[in-house]
Amino acid sequence: MKNLLTRTTIRKYADREVSNELLNRLLNEAARTQTMGNLQLYSVVITRSNEMKQRLAPAHFNQPMVTQAPVVLTICADFNRTSQWARCRKAEPGYDNFLSYQNAVTDALLYTQTLCNLMDEEGLGYCYLGTTVYQPQSIIDTLQLPRLVMPVATLTVGWPAEKPSLSDRLPLKSFVHNETYKDYTPSDIDTYYNYKEQLEENQHFVEINHKETLAQIFTDIRYTKHDNEVMSETFLETLKKQGFLN
């Protein structure tokens, strides 16, 4: 069992099954999380077969844990089920719009975080894949997701086979604002980011990439303006195809 203050991302997993009984219990317990209108606007696709993991891997840039983890969970924002329910009960749904997508995303991510907390308590390891929103159409096609269903999070899950060190976090004062939002001065930025920037591994990262600052690693290499714009365009087009931008 892990404390939140010692939580780490696990990318290497033991050759040990995650039983259906355990997984289903955690998935069911996670459903007690908050949800808009008590509608539970999410669905979870469980992937265990090697064939399906191989098919999902390219959408996640072939990160090794996608095929090596015993279980891959794709959590989706889902207004399809609720819309189907409405039509079957003589009600006309109006959820083919961006606000509905936003509500479903919130539900799905709240569910995902609750599930992560429950897996921590069981000693399971997992990795949250931010790549889910980079190439969503590939995931949609592979998992055969219908209209009004959009993948928003992926978790690779298994029993840990590594003990990675804790990653750094910004201090509380850097992200908590009392009463109103207080914008950051250059002095604030110096104070809040000093620890991160002085870490030996981060300084090494800057050096080997021939950059001047750690911030340039993020703006020039990891999350560039060009990539963000291209993937935003792709994402919006996929939202339209899935019916959330009527």
Side-chain angles (χ1 to χ4, degrees):
M1 178 177 176
K2 288 182 284 188
N3 182 292
L4 286 177
L5 293 177
T6 59
R7 167 184 280 167
T8 56
T9 294
I10 301 298
R11 295 178 174 85
K12 296 180 181 179
Y13 304 98
D15 185 16
R16 176 185 171 191
E17 179 187 8
V18 177
S19 70
N20 282 324
E21 180 182 16
L22 173 60
L23 183 58
N24 287 338
R25 174 168 65 80
L26 298 180
L27 290 169
N28 188 56
E29 289 177 4
R32 298 308 308 172
T33 199
Q34 301 92 331
T35 170
M36 193 201 80
N38 201 28
L39 290 173
Q40 296 180 250
L41 303 172
Y42 50 80
S43 284
V44 182
V45 181
I46 301 172
T47 302
R48 288 184 178 272
S49 78
N50 290 331
E51 177 188 353
M52 288 299 290
K53 291 175 194 172
Q54 292 287 349
R55 290 176 61 186
L56 280 173
H60 298 290
F61 300 98
N62 292 305
Q63 295 178 86
M65 56 273 195
V66 176
T67 54
Q68 294 172 3
V71 179
V72 177
L73 303 176
T74 305
I75 297 93
C76 304
D78 185 350
F79 242 121
N80 172 61
R81 183 181 63 250
T82 301
S83 296
Q84 297 264 24
W85 170 61
R87 293 190 184 97
C88 288
R89 297 296 182 268
K90 301 179 181 180
E92 186 58 37
Y95 307 123
D96 53 347
N97 45 67
F98 185 72
L99 180 62
S100 296
Y101 169 72
Q102 187 65 32
N103 287 330
V105 167
T106 301
D107 263 23
L109 293 180
L110 283 170
Y111 179 87
T112 301
Q113 186 58 69
T114 299
L115 179 62
C116 287
N117 292 342
L118 292 171
M119 291 194 295
D120 278 325
E121 292 179 358
E122 292 293 334
L124 284 167
Y126 56 87
C127 180
Y128 181 101
L129 303 184
T131 47
T132 307
V133 297
Y134 290 172
Q135 301 181 75
Q137 191 62 54
S138 176
I139 298 172
I140 289 167
D141 294 341
T142 299
L143 300 182
Q144 301 178 27
L145 304 181
R147 190 174 181 271
L148 296 184
V149 179
M150 190 77 174
V152 296
T154 301
L155 300 172
T156 58
V157 181
W159 300 102
E162 62 173 342
K163 292 184 178 180
S165 58
L166 287 175
S167 55
D168 62 276
R169 290 291 187 270
L170 294 173
L172 183 68
K173 287 184 177 181
S174 71
F175 57 85
V176 173
H177 303 258
N178 292 311
E179 309 301 345
T180 60
Y181 189 104
K182 177 181 178 294
D183 208 353
Y184 302 95
T185 66
S187 178
D188 291 333
I189 295 299
D190 290 343
T191 299
Y192 298 149
Y193 282 86
N194 180 66
Y195 177 75
K196 179 188 288 287
E197 292 173 336
Q198 295 305 314
L199 286 172
E200 183 177 347
E201 59 265 34
N202 284 339
Q203 291 189 345
H204 178 64
F205 203 26
V206 171
E207 181 182 354
I208 64 176
N209 283 282
H210 308 291
K211 294 296 178 181
E212 185 179 355
T213 69
L214 181 63
Q216 291 173 351
I217 297 295
F218 290 87
T219 61
D220 300 353
I221 299 176
R222 296 191 65 183
Y223 308 110
T224 69
K225 176 180 173 63
H226 174 266
D227 288 346
N228 287 336
E229 289 176 345
V230 169
M231 287 187 287
S232 292
E233 187 174 326
T234 299
F235 191 80
L236 289 171
E237 184 60 34
T238 305
L239 275 181
K240 186 181 295 184
K241 288 180 181 178
Q242 289 304 99
F244 281 113
L245 291 179
N246 187 10

